[in-house]
Amino acid sequence: MMTHDYALQVDNLAVEFDTYGGVVQAVRDVSFKLRKGKTLAIVGESGCGKSVTVQSLMGLIPMPPGRITRGSARLGNDELIGIAPAALNAIRGKRIGMIFQDPMSALNPTMTIGRQIAETLVVHRGLSASAARAEVIELLRLTQISQPEKRLDQYPFEFSGGMLQRAMIALSIACKPEVLIADEPTTALDVTIQAQILLLLQELQSSHGLSIILITHDLGVVARMAHDVAVMYAGQVVESGLVDDIFYRSAHPYTLGLRAAMPSNDPRKRQLQIIPGSPPDLFAPPPGCGFADRCAQAMRVCRDTPPPAYGHTHQARCWLQDPLAPASPVTSLMVNNKAD
Amino acid sequence: MSKQSFQLSAADFAPAPPATHAERIVRPSLSYWQDAWLRLKKNRRALSSLYLVIALLLFTLLGPWFWTQDYTLQDLDMISQGPSWGSAALVVEDPGAWEGVRGDALPLPQGQELGATTQLTVEGAATTQYVRLYWNAVPGAQHYLIYRNDHAPDSGQDLGLPLGETLRPEELSFADRLQLRPQTYWYTVIASDGLTEAASGTTLAVTTERAITTTQARERGLEATVGASVQLPAHPFGTDYLGRDVLARIMEGARVSLFIGIVAPLLFIAIGIVYGGICGYFGGTLDIVLMRIADFVIALPFLLFMILFRIGFGIGPGESGIFPMLLALVLLSWPSSARLVRGQILQIRGEAYVQAARMLGARSLYLIFRHLVPNVMGPILVTLTFAIPMAIFTEAFLSFIGMGVSPPTPSWGAMSNEGIRTMLSSPHELLFPAFFISLTVLAFNLLGDGLRDALDSRLRSRE
Amino acid sequence: MLLYILKRLGIGIFTIWFIATATFTVMHLVPGDPLANDKAVNPTIRANLERQYGLDRPVFEQYVLYMGNMLKGDFGISFTEENRAVNDIIREHFPVSASLGVLSLFFATIGGVLWGALAALYRNRWPDAAIMLVVILGISVPSFVFAAFSQLGILTLNQWTGRSILPVAGWDSFSSALVPALVLGMSTMAYMTRLMRSSMLEVANTDYIRTARAKGLSALRIFFRHQLRNAILPVITVLGPAIAIITTGGFVVESVFAIPGLGRYFVQAVAQLDYTVIMGTTVFFGAFLVLMVIAVDILYGFIDPRIRLGAL
């Protein structure tokens, strides 16, 4: 595929944090591609580095103590990593919008919703206050907030959680960005509100041609929203591919474990499976595969050599994909087409 | 990456021995207090302030063992002396013994002006007790003016302090006893005919030696023979306006200041714990009424009421005023810690883990000691550390405006109050107590900061 | 909002009543006859006072009389100065204290917000370290020490330059208020700087600042439009206690700098055991502080929309 088919392409990103306990390697060599007009879901348990990955792209991790040690990210043809703050500000909010997990705290409590949304329009599109106000009303209407003329002048504490997340979405798409990053947008919301918000995102995607990165730990949300999926574990992408690849042809034991841990309607699957153990300490990541200690299929090689990425569009970082490996429950990829 | 895999052999793909440590917790588990102590140790500022606090306490408690000077002993001969490490002093005869030198008044020859004094001489040793000067008579002089300067006069105008004048023309001597210090003085004696002074005088440089009189030596139990050399007590921090040793007073004052500073917070926090505990535990109407009372007490203007209480208790002669101040501090300060304890208890009662423990059948006593006490102790400890400098400040403030401990009991605030009067001539009298107040308050404040950071579990989870 | 103000005022009036009662109670703890304690009470004043305060009557009647006079705004007549009403004393001396206090509160607030914001901006770099060092000094050094040494400093300055650049003491021109106001506001400024700094850092870590950055706003705009405004809120809440500290701190500063304010007068009255002046001034200061705290609460309410719109 050609580069311009991708809205966003991230290669070999690595992020570290200095903490009082030492250096945490939060993101270790992460690569993914976001297809235009599609949704890429980044899945993983908490602490696996999925939020850090996207926040570092946006320059939102605190630096110091954080720093990007390696990698590149291209929005269309423009590099995001290591550019000047002013250049980044011209991209943030305009070409990439972002929504966050907790809408209650993500908006300035002492500023009206209208002014917070209008601010982006004024800064990025140079609109006058009155023009911005008219536009904000449109945006609020678009995100299905009732009585936008009245809501505009209210403060965040006067909104419900779901309404706030709608306002957040209105804010993030105000400048018609190419990419929308949604960092666990529904985690803090009621289930019924979750469904509405996801529906809204889908509608906006089809009407605005948005490319969405959706960060979540909820495989239900992934199944519903995603076209592509990247599964992250211990700061790495362990498996990536089309949504069906991930769900029906899982090529990594961790993905298999996640699926087994997911509630299901299947009467034969009464008990939820858990993945034993806990993720490795990222102060000192293990030399081999990060999942080896928790993996039922672990081999000697897994313990001391990091696995390469096998596969092409459907990739997995797992030694089980090696031709030398014994048969295992994971779906075998076309080993001969090893990625390089 | 791909190259690497070609070097792997089939043996590498044999099943690995089952991981024994998958459930192992990588970092050791620390109790609340262990963790807090580790954090405090990491905080250099807090740790050094902890050492400082310990040093101050040792200074207060052990100091008087090593520094045995009596803090009440007045020495009017050593008033407002600067810091010194003791010194040898000559024992000299009592000043009254000298009769002076007399001569004949000489008539002024016709047409001549008054001349300069000649033969200006010091009789005996020049000491800090007295400098005895005599000179030859100047023809025509009715009396003589004596000046003293602390630097060599550079002109006829720059003669320094006018010490006095002789009364009769025969008097040809003068004894200077005015606040002499061991240093060099320039004495100038100028003749006068009663109307005009001579155009020039004679200046003599005199270096004085520290000395005490035989009477003083006897009073202090020192060898009282003239000409003997005795060792005077050291005053590392100087002496105050009554000649008392400032170091000894600082130590005694530390006892007063730190006693009030530590005992008052301990007492009012203890009251606060009980009061707040009752409010938090029983709740309901009792809680509302009790907390309303606490709110009222908080609303009283603190320092004004400290003063009112002090007047209200009234302290009689000979009383130090420590107890009324302690009582007033306790009476006015308990509500804030009561509020804190009550808030903590209410908050903890609502916590999910306490409810979970209760559902699991934990008894109240267990809940109190396992969950309540550890959670309340942290904030209490921090409050205590901040209450100490606050109390020390209050004591200093009140003593400074004369509403605290009453003289002669020394406290740092009272000493500052006395020191400020002589600030211009001998700043050390203000400097030392002020320095100790500041140092103590600083140490406790920094320690409090460190403790708060170390005990703040919110911070703990964030890192 | 109106309800909020009314509620605050109601509690305030109750509090003032409590302060007046507490003052009365404490002053009646004084052993013996308050008039007998005094050395030079003129017989006519004494007769007047006894009649006015009903000192021969039971305590409860005295209390009723006292509260009645308070309600009328009458604090009585000085015990030591003939025919001088406490009201006149307050009227004469309080404006001096008030202008000194306002000036020093101005210094403290502006300075605190400015230094605190600056320290947060340069967090863990040398400007932060320098500001925090001054803050620690401001918190640890008692105001009378600052007062004494600043006086010494002015004296030296005047001697060096050979001119009277700043007056050493007294109260005649604006320049004579400058240094006392700075000294008086020093500890408050230190506290506010500290509060502002930590508040700024806390706000900097909030999600909404992250949102503002994700919106692509410039650092300057985020600082002024989002961070500063939210960070100042907690600083406003301590204005009430700050006014109390500055008011009572005035006792010392007014005494050291020989400023004829109510604080200095109060200290003198205490030394002379002038009961009516002590009681009157205490109740007056107490009521003043209560009203100030309410004023600050209301001000805060207007600034924070959550309170203005009745959410909290």
Side-chain angles (χ1 to χ4, degrees):
Chain A
M1 273 191 224
M2 305 270 286
T3 313
H4 57 255
D5 289 333
Y6 297 117
L8 183 69
Q9 186 168 356
V10 172
D11 293 302
N12 308 102
L13 188 72
V15 181
E16 292 178 354
F17 285 92
D18 293 322
T19 72
Y20 94 112
V23 177
V24 174
Q25 301 177 17
V27 175
R28 306 183 290 152
D29 193 33
V30 162
S31 306
F32 58 80
K33 298 182 175 92
L34 172 62
R35 288 191 285 154
K36 277 190 178 160
K38 304 288 184 193
T39 300
L40 166 72
I42 300 180
V43 201
E45 59 195 274
S46 24
C48 71
K50 48 193 197 299
S51 284
V52 174
T53 305
V54 290
Q55 287 190 14
S56 65
L57 299 182
M58 290 283 275
L60 293 179
I61 54 169
M63 294 195 246
R67 61 176 169 269
I68 299 172
T69 50
R70 206 149 39 84
S72 80
R74 283 187 308 283
L75 177 71
N77 290 319
D78 302 318
E79 179 62 48
L80 291 179
I81 306 293
I83 60 172
L88 191 62
N89 276 339
I91 290 173
R92 299 197 286 208
K94 186 175 191 192
R95 296 179 60 195
I96 307 180
M98 192 155 182
I99 45 185
F100 298 98
Q101 177 173 348
D102 184 4
M104 300 289 194
S105 62
L107 286 164
N108 187 338
T110 60
M111 204 186 238
T112 60
I113 298 286
R115 285 191 54 195
Q116 295 192 51
I117 301 176
E119 209 176 12
T120 29
L121 296 168
V122 172
V123 167
H124 290 299
R125 285 171 46 194
L127 293 188
S128 69
S130 55
R133 192 181 160 89
E135 181 106 21
V136 170
I137 294 177
E138 271 318 298
L139 281 164
L140 292 180
R141 190 164 287 138
L142 188 70
T143 48
Q144 295 152 23
I145 291 174
S146 56
Q147 294 180 284
E149 296 85 353
K150 187 176 140 241
R151 287 296 196 170
L152 186 72
D153 292 320
Q154 290 189 333
Y155 289 92
F157 69 87
E158 297 173 271
F159 275 51
S160 68
M163 281 296 152
L164 275 181
Q165 199 60 302
R166 287 170 192 275
M168 237 355 257
I169 293 173
L171 185 142
S172 62
I173 62 164
C175 296
K176 305 201 168 32
E178 301 147 42
V179 174
L180 179 67
I181 298 175
D183 189 352
E184 308 230 16
T186 57
T187 310
L189 303 176
D190 290 346
V191 185
T192 46
I193 311 287
Q194 274 188 23
Q196 292 171 17
I197 295 289
L198 293 177
L199 190 65
L200 175 64
L201 283 177
Q202 277 175 323
E203 284 171 15
L204 289 172
Q205 179 162 49
S206 49
S207 62
H208 286 61
L210 276 174
S211 315
I212 299 178
I213 294 180
L214 181 71
I215 293 176
T216 181
H217 58 254
D218 185 343
L219 287 182
V221 171
V222 176
R224 180 167 171 183
M225 298 287 292
H227 303 100
D228 301 308
V229 180
V231 180
M232 280 190 73
Y233 182 78
Q236 288 180 319
V237 174
V238 291
E239 184 174 0
S240 60
L242 294 171
V243 64
D244 284 355
D245 289 336
I246 302 298
F247 276 93
Y248 301 114
R249 294 179 287 281
S250 307
H252 195 285
Y254 178 62
T255 317
L256 275 180
L258 279 185
R259 271 176 51 203
M262 194 179 153
S264 150
N265 289 335
D266 189 342
R268 285 164 296 174
K269 262 182 66 181
R270 281 277 164 73
Q271 195 164 9
L272 293 182
Q273 299 292 313
I274 61 154
I275 306 175
S278 56
D281 193 344
L282 291 180
F283 284 105
C289 171
F291 190 61
D293 281 352
R294 301 170 75 183
C295 180
Q297 283 82 38
M299 300 170 292
R300 288 182 192 283
V301 64
C302 301
R303 291 275 157 79
D304 36 50
T305 318
Y310 293 93
H312 195 72
T313 51
H314 180 196
Q315 292 189 346
R317 270 179 196 273
C318 181
W319 283 117
L320 290 174
Q321 298 298 341
D322 196 275
L324 291 170
S328 70
V330 300
T331 305
S332 180
L333 301 170
M334 307 262 293
V335 170
N336 299 339
N337 299 345
K338 209 188 284 173
D340 38 16
Chain B
M1 284 291 216
S2 52
K3 211 183 356 169
Q4 213 176 15
S5 75
F6 289 115
Q7 298 162 347
L8 297 167
S9 66
D12 288 318
F13 288 89
T20 51
H21 51 284
E23 296 285 356
R24 181 184 57 137
I25 289 157
V26 182
R27 271 170 284 178
S29 158
L30 295 173
S31 79
Y32 181 65
W33 297 106
Q34 279 172 324
D35 184 77
W37 173 240
L38 276 181
R39 279 164 177 281
L40 193 67
K41 276 207 299 195
K42 280 236 170 75
N43 185 341
R44 273 217 316 271
R45 241 175 28 175
L47 202 63
S48 41
S49 54
L50 179 65
Y51 292 143
L52 197 57
V53 165
I54 294 172
L56 277 166
L57 287 176
L58 287 180
F59 175 76
T60 314
L61 296 176
L62 301 183
W65 282 58
F66 296 99
W67 193 251
T68 48
Q69 283 197 37
D70 183 358
Y71 69 92
T72 56
L73 184 76
Q74 301 182 4
D75 183 348
L76 297 180
D77 220 45
M78 293 287 285
I79 284 172
S80 298
Q81 297 283 317
S84 75
W85 278 115
S87 48
L90 195 65
V91 179
V92 293
E93 60 177 5
D94 287 348
W98 197 44
E99 282 155 10
V101 176
R102 289 175 183 277
D104 297 323
L106 303 174
L108 183 67
Q110 201 63 42
Q112 258 188 287
E113 306 239 308
L114 273 179
T117 327
T118 53
Q119 291 284 318
L120 183 58
T121 321
V122 177
E123 197 271 342
T127 67
T128 52
Q129 286 300 322
Y130 41 75
V131 175
R132 292 164 170 171
L133 299 168
Y134 64 92
W135 53 86
N136 283 357
V138 175
Q142 290 304 303
H143 49 245
Y144 301 88
L145 304 162
I146 297 97
Y147 293 88
R148 186 178 82 189
N149 207 345
D150 54 5
H151 56 267
D154 47 20
S155 76
Q157 309 300 313
D158 181 32
L159 298 176
L161 190 68
L163 287 173
E165 53 186 289
T166 58
L167 297 174
R168 284 185 297 278
E170 311 80 78
E171 267 183 57
L172 295 177
S173 64
F174 183 84
D176 173 21
R177 297 195 56 205
L178 186 72
Q179 293 184 350
L180 287 158
R181 287 164 194 254
Q183 65 175 82
T184 302
Y185 293 104
W186 282 263
Y187 287 94
T188 307
V189 177
I190 294 181
S192 161
D193 62 3
L195 296 168
T196 52
E197 292 176 18
S200 62
T202 304
T203 300
L204 176 67
V206 175
T207 303
T208 51
E209 191 185 344
R210 187 176 291 286
I212 57 171
T213 62
T214 45
T215 315
Q216 288 172 337
R218 217 171 293 122
E219 278 168 4
R220 276 168 223 185
L222 297 169
E223 188 187 352
T225 45
V226 172
S229 178
V230 292
Q231 194 65 29
L232 289 181
H235 297 293
F237 289 2
T239 56
D240 73 356
Y241 74 113
L242 288 175
R244 296 173 294 195
D245 181 51
V246 172
L247 176 59
R249 287 182 68 73
I250 289 270
M251 283 177 182
E252 187 58 29
R255 294 186 154 197
V256 174
S257 293
L258 287 178
F259 176 76
I260 292 175
I262 291 173
V263 173
L266 279 178
L267 282 176
F268 70 67
I269 284 175
I271 294 176
I273 290 174
V274 174
Y275 196 95
I278 291 173
C279 287
Y281 192 83
F282 291 105
T285 321
L286 183 74
D287 177 35
I288 293 171
V289 172
L290 288 183
M291 283 327 282
R292 186 59 30 176
I293 294 173
D295 283 345
F296 277 138
V297 177
I298 285 180
L300 293 178
F302 178 70
L303 283 169
L304 280 169
F305 268 80
M306 287 296 296
I307 296 170
L308 279 194
F309 273 125
R310 144 94 190 209
I311 302 168
F313 293 134
I315 57 169
E319 289 174 31
S320 63
I322 295 175
F323 178 71
M325 188 185 273
L326 206 64
L327 195 62
L329 259 174
V330 172
L331 276 177
L332 288 171
S333 312
W334 60 268
S336 53
S337 49
R339 223 187 218 177
L340 177 90
V341 172
R342 173 183 171 269
Q344 285 283 332
I345 290 178
L346 288 185
Q347 190 198 333
I348 288 162
R349 265 170 45 158
E351 295 275 0
Y353 65 85
V354 170
Q355 303 198 326
R358 190 170 282 164
M359 297 243 284
L360 291 172
R363 281 172 307 134
S364 295
L365 215 62
Y366 173 84
L367 279 178
I368 287 171
F369 282 99
R370 188 76 191 81
H371 293 301
L372 217 59
V373 172
N375 275 292
V376 178
M377 275 317 280
I380 289 285
L381 198 63
V382 173
T383 311
L384 180 68
T385 335
F386 282 122
I388 290 171
M390 201 53 226
I392 291 175
F393 243 40
T394 308
E395 185 278 321
F397 182 93
L398 292 176
S399 296
F400 182 79
I401 60 173
M403 280 292 117
V405 301
S406 51
T409 312
S411 85
W412 291 342
M415 291 175 72
S416 304
N417 181 25
E418 289 159 1
I420 205 163
R421 294 184 211 149
T422 52
M423 183 179 75
L424 290 181
S425 54
S426 47
H428 70 272
E429 285 173 58
L430 172 63
L431 206 60
F432 283 110
F435 172 77
F436 272 88
I437 295 173
S438 308
L439 192 72
T440 313
V441 171
L442 178 78
F444 277 105
N445 270 327
L446 289 182
L447 183 63
D449 279 349
L451 271 180
R452 189 180 48 197
D453 292 347
L455 292 173
D456 193 337
S457 47
R458 222 161 37 111
L459 268 174
R460 189 155 85 137
S461 57
R462 201 185 290 156
E463 274 178 46
Chain C
M1 188 65 191
L2 191 68
L3 195 73
Y4 170 83
I5 295 174
L6 284 178
K7 207 176 132 190
R8 288 288 184 285
L9 276 176
I11 295 176
I13 290 168
F14 227 51
T15 314
I16 293 171
W17 164 80
F18 181 75
I19 290 173
T21 308
T23 309
F24 180 86
T25 314
V26 174
M27 292 307 277
H28 277 76
L29 286 176
V30 181
D33 171 17
L35 293 179
N37 275 356
D38 204 48
K39 302 140 253 170
V41 172
N42 179 312
T44 43
I45 300 182
R46 188 186 167 97
N48 274 336
L49 287 171
E50 281 192 340
R51 203 172 334 110
Q52 186 170 359
Y53 295 99
L55 289 173
D56 42 351
R57 283 189 259 170
V59 174
F60 183 72
E61 271 182 55
Q62 287 185 39
Y63 173 71
V64 172
L65 198 65
Y66 160 84
M67 290 307 283
N69 284 335
M70 286 277 169
L71 274 181
K72 282 184 262 166
D74 177 9
F75 290 121
I77 298 168
S78 165
F79 271 36
T80 49
E81 284 184 61
E82 223 168 311
N83 287 329
R84 195 128 186 251
V86 178
N87 288 27
D88 290 339
I89 293 170
I90 292 175
R91 206 169 298 135
E92 185 186 334
H93 295 284
F94 181 65
V96 175
S97 294
S99 35
L100 181 67
V102 167
L103 191 61
S104 90
L105 192 67
F106 175 79
F107 280 146
T109 318
I110 301 291
V113 167
L114 220 65
W115 293 124
L118 213 62
L121 213 56
Y122 288 94
R123 187 192 186 183
N124 294 340
R125 279 182 279 164
W126 71 264
D128 181 24
I131 292 172
M132 291 322 280
L133 186 76
V134 176
V135 162
I136 284 172
L137 280 182
I139 289 174
S140 308
V141 178
S143 61
F144 54 79
V145 178
F146 272 127
F149 284 105
S150 59
Q151 222 175 12
L152 199 63
I154 298 173
L155 214 64
T156 325
L157 181 78
N158 288 349
Q159 274 173 355
W160 263 11
T161 52
R163 282 181 300 141
S164 176
I165 291 183
L166 284 169
V168 176
W171 185 260
D172 33 37
S173 60
F174 179 70
S175 60
S176 60
L178 275 179
V179 175
L182 260 179
V183 168
L184 185 52
M186 192 71 189
S187 68
T188 308
M189 180 155 81
Y191 277 111
M192 284 190 166
T193 304
R194 216 154 90 139
L195 188 65
M196 185 66 191
R197 178 180 182 271
S198 62
S199 171
M200 283 291 284
L201 293 178
E202 199 167 299
V203 170
N205 275 329
T206 56
D207 289 354
Y208 59 84
I209 293 299
R210 191 181 59 187
T211 307
R213 290 171 60 204
K215 273 155 79 173
L217 306 185
S218 67
L220 219 61
R221 193 183 174 100
I222 292 175
F223 181 79
F224 282 109
R225 289 286 178 93
H226 294 270
Q227 209 177 345
L228 210 55
R229 188 188 159 97
N230 285 294
I232 285 177
L233 288 177
V235 177
I236 292 172
T237 58
V238 301
L239 271 180
I243 292 172
I245 289 170
I246 283 179
T247 310
T248 37
F251 296 3
V252 157
V253 174
E254 285 172 13
S255 296
V256 174
F257 285 97
I259 294 168
L262 194 54
R264 176 153 164 259
Y265 201 91
F266 179 76
V267 173
Q268 283 169 4
V270 166
Q272 295 167 349
L273 285 181
D274 190 335
Y275 286 89
T276 37
V277 174
I278 295 172
M279 281 166 83
T281 322
T282 306
V283 174
F284 176 77
F285 268 135
F288 171 73
L289 291 181
V290 168
L291 291 177
M292 281 300 130
V293 170
I294 293 171
V296 169
D297 272 359
I298 292 173
L299 173 75
Y300 186 78
F302 272 109
I303 291 176
D304 192 333
R306 283 163 291 191
I307 292 176
R308 186 174 66 225
L309 300 170
L312 294 180

